[in-house]
Amino acid sequence: SLMESQNEGQGKFMEFPFVTASHKKLMVDLVSTLENRFEKQLLPCKLPPDVQYYQNESGTAQASLQIRSGQSDSLVDFVLGSWIHCELPTGASLDITSLSAYLNLSTDAPNFLIEVIRSSPTMLVLILDLPPRKDLALWPDDLKTFYEDTQIDTQRQALEKIPEIQPYFSSSLYIRTVSSPTAIMVRIETEAGGGERVEEIIAKHLDPISKQVLGIWLDHCACAKRDVGEIERALLKKRDGIVRKKTLEVDLDSSFPRLFGTQVANRVLEAIKEYFDV
Amino acid sequence: SLMESQNEGQGKFMEFPFVTASHKKLMVDLVSTLENRFEKQLLPCKLPPDVQYYQNESGTAQASLQIRSGQSDSLVDFVLGSWIHCELPTGASLDITSLSAYLNLSTDAPNFLIEVIRSSPTMLVLILDLPPRKDLALWPDDLKTFYEDTQIDTQRQALEKIPEIQPYFSSSLYIRTVSSPTAIMVRIETEAGGGERVEEIIAKHLDPISKQVLGIWLDHCACAKRDVGEIERALLKKRDGIVRKKTLEVDLDSSFPRLFGTQVANRVLEAIKEYFDV
């Protein structure tokens, strides 16, 4: 039945079947923390089964997607979780796991985003941020409220001290533009050989730091009572719309058809776009 | 006479008497390039002599400031150049040289900024940017025009490859917020001992790269014909005003009185603030 297929999809998402133990623990804990905090504010995932789990023709690329909308009285627009696994022609594989939470137009507080990209056992990229939804240069009080008073930059500073961790610059200037001044964008590269040190860095550093950042978002952004006037709301709607459209383009438009074939890619992109329309 | 004192001030600024040869060459070349390009568009510096050159009571801190306003038909609001030299209690000295160019409300193109901070013979911080004057997340076409199509990020990428160069994160989140996605914010630190390697990096890398960035600004921003409507102009005025006020606060309000004493600091800050009012 459809219900069973949907439950399978849900199970599949939380399995994170291709990533390492510490990487899976990090993701499962973050998703659970977020879902537990919002409890009944989040509706079940209504994506069709072939969007909740999909693969390319040859089965070398597999992926899972879960989107849960917020109830009408919630500040959450929707929460999106996903993983992608691709076997590369080199014999290595690429694993991307992500969790993002988008707030709706009742609040102008920042969103939440984590993306973990593992392109080899010795290489990992982490993007962890509370992307702002306003021009912070124009609104220094919001910068203070969400980024200075929460001391969120101490999390980035802690990572900076680890010798294998280097700042990461996205090749997309738009992705850099929409990130906050405290965005954690780092590349972890260890000596060739086993990935034990990467595992250790995930468990000892990335895991607690990503939970701290999610905690700051849950405590100070996702529940913040904000006064959004009519004019501000219209601008917020316009900005949210442009940012969602552009980031989707940058993230998916070029790589998705290549990885999954045009037909599957279109099916999934169409489903996502319904949620991304503000 | 007042005229002679003013000329002394002007001479003093271009002397850069305390920095190394390659550091001085970089600054003099940038100031000259900018002034030659604008020729008669820039009015002479009208700051009083005791603001064009000033020092603290004991003479351990000295500084020079030059501000030249644009003619009424120019797109340039004003160009500000400065150097500061402080002897530190440790015996070392701190030298800051900067050049920034602010456009007026006839255009929404980015400004230009370079700041070179030398806190020891083996340590240097460079900030080199075209700070945007609009929310680029909301205006992706402007991101494309000024930052993507000009390929300005290749300059940052070139610096990234030099082993002694590390990304620099300003402790001020506001300074990070107002920088562009291609901002060059780097720290150069070499082995203890002579500063020869820093000199070499300035001459071989920072010098040509800062000239490239200034060239991009002169060719693509400072002369760009832009249509700024009434509503955009009002927002631009508000944003320019807030950004100037806040960056001045961050940069000067706390450190200036400490370095030069309250009286001198107030005199200089008052003079600068007249130009920073949009």
Side-chain angles (χ1 to χ4, degrees):
Chain A
S1 75
L2 181 64
M3 185 59 86
E4 275 163 348
S5 306
Q6 280 180 341
N7 288 343
E8 267 172 45
Q10 158 78 19
K12 210 77 176 173
F13 168 63
M14 281 296 262
E15 274 172 25
F16 295 99
F18 296 102
V19 298
T20 61
S22 59
H23 184 161
K24 174 175 174 171
K25 180 178 183 305
L26 181 158
M27 289 303 303
V28 168
D29 287 356
L30 290 180
V31 175
S32 308
T33 302
L34 197 149
E35 293 191 335
N36 289 339
R37 178 71 78 95
F38 288 121
E39 269 194 293
K40 287 174 187 144
Q41 283 189 50
L42 296 178
L43 299 166
C45 178
K46 294 201 177 83
L47 293 171
D50 62 359
V51 172
Q52 291 197 35
Y53 172 78
Y54 53 95
Q55 55 179 29
N56 66 354
E57 260 187 25
S58 62
T60 54
Q62 301 178 49
S64 181
L65 176 66
Q66 181 187 284
I67 303 182
R68 297 183 62 181
S69 293
Q71 299 270 17
S72 56
D73 59 347
S74 166
L75 295 181
V76 177
D77 191 0
F78 62 91
V79 175
L80 183 154
S82 84
W83 57 255
I84 292 177
H85 170 77
C86 302
E87 291 161 27
L88 302 176
T90 57
S93 60
L94 170 70
D95 285 280
I96 304 174
T97 65
S98 73
L99 175 66
S100 43
Y102 293 81
L103 297 177
N104 63 31
L105 299 175
S106 310
T107 175
D108 58 5
N111 292 328
F112 172 80
L113 167 69
I114 183 168
E115 194 167 338
V116 184
I117 303 163
R118 189 93 184 245
S119 55
S120 92
T122 57
M123 172 91 92
L124 183 147
V125 165
L126 170 70
I127 295 171
L128 176 61
D129 195 18
L130 309 185
R133 294 168 65 219
K134 296 171 79 173
D135 179 9
L136 296 176
L138 194 59
W139 300 98
D141 290 349
D142 289 26
L143 179 68
K144 185 170 184 303
T145 302
F146 297 119
Y147 301 94
E148 287 172 357
D149 292 348
T150 58
Q151 302 197 297
I152 190 170
D153 200 47
T154 55
Q155 307 301 326
R156 193 194 57 76
Q157 289 165 23
L159 278 187
E160 211 177 30
K161 294 199 181 78
I162 297 157
E164 292 95 342
I165 295 189
Q166 292 294 319
Y168 167 76
F169 291 86
S170 170
S171 60
S172 159
L173 298 189
Y174 196 75
I175 296 297
R176 293 188 212 165
T177 297
V178 296
S179 66
S180 83
T182 62
I184 292 174
M185 295 186 150
V186 291
R187 190 167 51 85
I188 298 161
E189 199 169 358
T190 62
E191 300 279 299
E196 293 86 3
R197 177 62 180 144
V198 175
E199 282 302 289
E200 187 182 55
I201 292 173
I202 295 174
K204 276 176 64 176
H205 302 289
L206 308 193
D207 188 275
I209 282 171
S210 57
K211 286 169 187 169
Q212 288 283 337
V213 171
L214 178 61
I216 290 172
W217 183 76
L218 288 169
D219 293 342
H220 298 275
C221 305
C223 310
K225 264 274 168 225
R226 304 278 297 173
D227 258 333
V228 184
E230 276 310 302
I231 297 169
E232 283 88 358
R233 190 184 168 99
L235 181 60
L236 197 63
K237 186 178 162 75
K238 185 178 171 189
R239 195 184 190 279
D240 275 358
I242 292 173
V243 171
R244 290 177 183 193
K245 182 168 170 289
K246 286 287 298 180
T247 49
L248 208 59
E249 268 175 39
V250 172
D251 253 12
L252 302 181
D253 271 4
S254 63
S255 57
F256 242 48
R258 197 160 34 80
L259 288 174
F260 293 99
T262 316
Q263 205 188 339
V264 175
N266 284 347
R267 187 173 72 219
V268 175
L269 277 173
E270 284 312 307
I272 296 177
K273 277 178 185 164
E274 276 182 42
Y275 292 86
F276 272 56
D277 265 339
V278 190
Chain B
S1 74
L2 180 63
M3 183 59 84
E4 273 163 353
S5 305
Q6 279 179 341
N7 289 342
E8 266 172 46
Q10 157 78 16
K12 211 79 175 172
F13 167 62
M14 281 295 261
E15 273 173 26
F16 295 99
F18 296 102
V19 299
T20 62
S22 59
H23 185 161
K24 174 175 174 173
K25 179 179 185 306
L26 182 158
M27 290 304 302
V28 169
D29 287 356
L30 290 179
V31 175
S32 308
T33 302
L34 199 149
E35 293 190 336
N36 290 338
R37 179 71 77 96
F38 289 123
E39 268 194 291
K40 289 178 185 142
Q41 283 189 50
L42 296 178
L43 299 166
C45 178
K46 295 204 177 79
L47 293 171
D50 62 358
V51 172
Q52 290 197 35
Y53 172 78
Y54 53 95
Q55 56 179 32
N56 65 355
E57 258 187 29
S58 61
T60 55
Q62 301 178 49
S64 181
L65 176 67
Q66 181 187 286
I67 303 182
R68 298 184 62 181
S69 293
Q71 298 271 17
S72 55
D73 59 347
S74 165
L75 296 181
V76 177
D77 191 359
F78 62 90
V79 175
L80 183 154
S82 83
W83 56 256
I84 292 177
H85 170 77
C86 302
E87 291 162 28
L88 302 176
T90 58
S93 61
L94 171 70
D95 286 281
I96 303 174
T97 65
S98 75
L99 175 67
S100 44
Y102 294 82
L103 297 177
N104 63 31
L105 299 175
S106 309
T107 175
D108 58 5
N111 291 328
F112 171 80
L113 167 69
I114 183 168
E115 194 168 339
V116 183
I117 304 163
R118 189 92 184 249
S119 55
S120 91
T122 58
M123 173 92 91
L124 183 149
V125 166
L126 170 70
I127 296 171
L128 175 61
D129 195 18
L130 309 185
R133 295 166 64 217
K134 297 171 78 174
D135 178 10
L136 295 176
L138 194 60
W139 300 99
D141 290 348
D142 288 27
L143 179 68
K144 185 169 185 300
T145 302
F146 296 119
Y147 301 95
E148 288 173 357
D149 293 348
T150 58
Q151 301 197 297
I152 190 170
D153 201 47
T154 54
Q155 308 300 327
R156 193 194 58 76
Q157 290 165 25
L159 278 188
E160 211 176 30
K161 295 199 181 77
I162 297 156
E164 291 94 342
I165 296 190
Q166 292 294 319
Y168 167 76
F169 291 86
S170 169
S171 61
S172 159
L173 298 190
Y174 195 76
I175 296 297
R176 293 188 212 165
T177 296
V178 296
S179 67
S180 85
T182 60
I184 292 174
M185 294 185 149
V186 292
R187 191 167 51 85
I188 297 160
E189 199 170 356
T190 61
E191 301 278 300
E196 293 84 4
R197 177 61 180 144
V198 174
E199 282 303 290
E200 188 183 54
I201 292 173
I202 295 175
K204 276 178 65 176
H205 302 288
L206 307 194
D207 188 275
I209 282 171
S210 57
K211 286 169 186 170
Q212 288 284 336
V213 171
L214 178 60
I216 291 172
W217 183 77
L218 289 169
D219 293 341
H220 298 276
C221 305
C223 311
K225 262 275 166 225
R226 305 276 300 172
D227 257 333
V228 185
E230 274 311 304
I231 297 170
E232 284 88 357
R233 190 185 166 98
L235 181 60
L236 197 63
K237 186 178 161 75
K238 185 177 171 189
R239 194 182 191 280
D240 275 358
I242 292 173
V243 171
R244 291 177 181 192
K245 182 167 171 289
K246 286 288 297 181
T247 48
L248 208 60
E249 267 175 40
V250 171
D251 254 10
L252 302 182
D253 271 5
S254 65
S255 57
F256 243 49
R258 196 161 32 81
L259 287 174
F260 294 99
T262 316
Q263 204 189 339
V264 175
N266 284 348
R267 186 173 72 218
V268 175
L269 277 172
E270 285 312 308
I272 297 179
K273 276 177 187 164
E274 274 181 44
Y275 291 86
F276 272 56
D277 265 339
V278 189

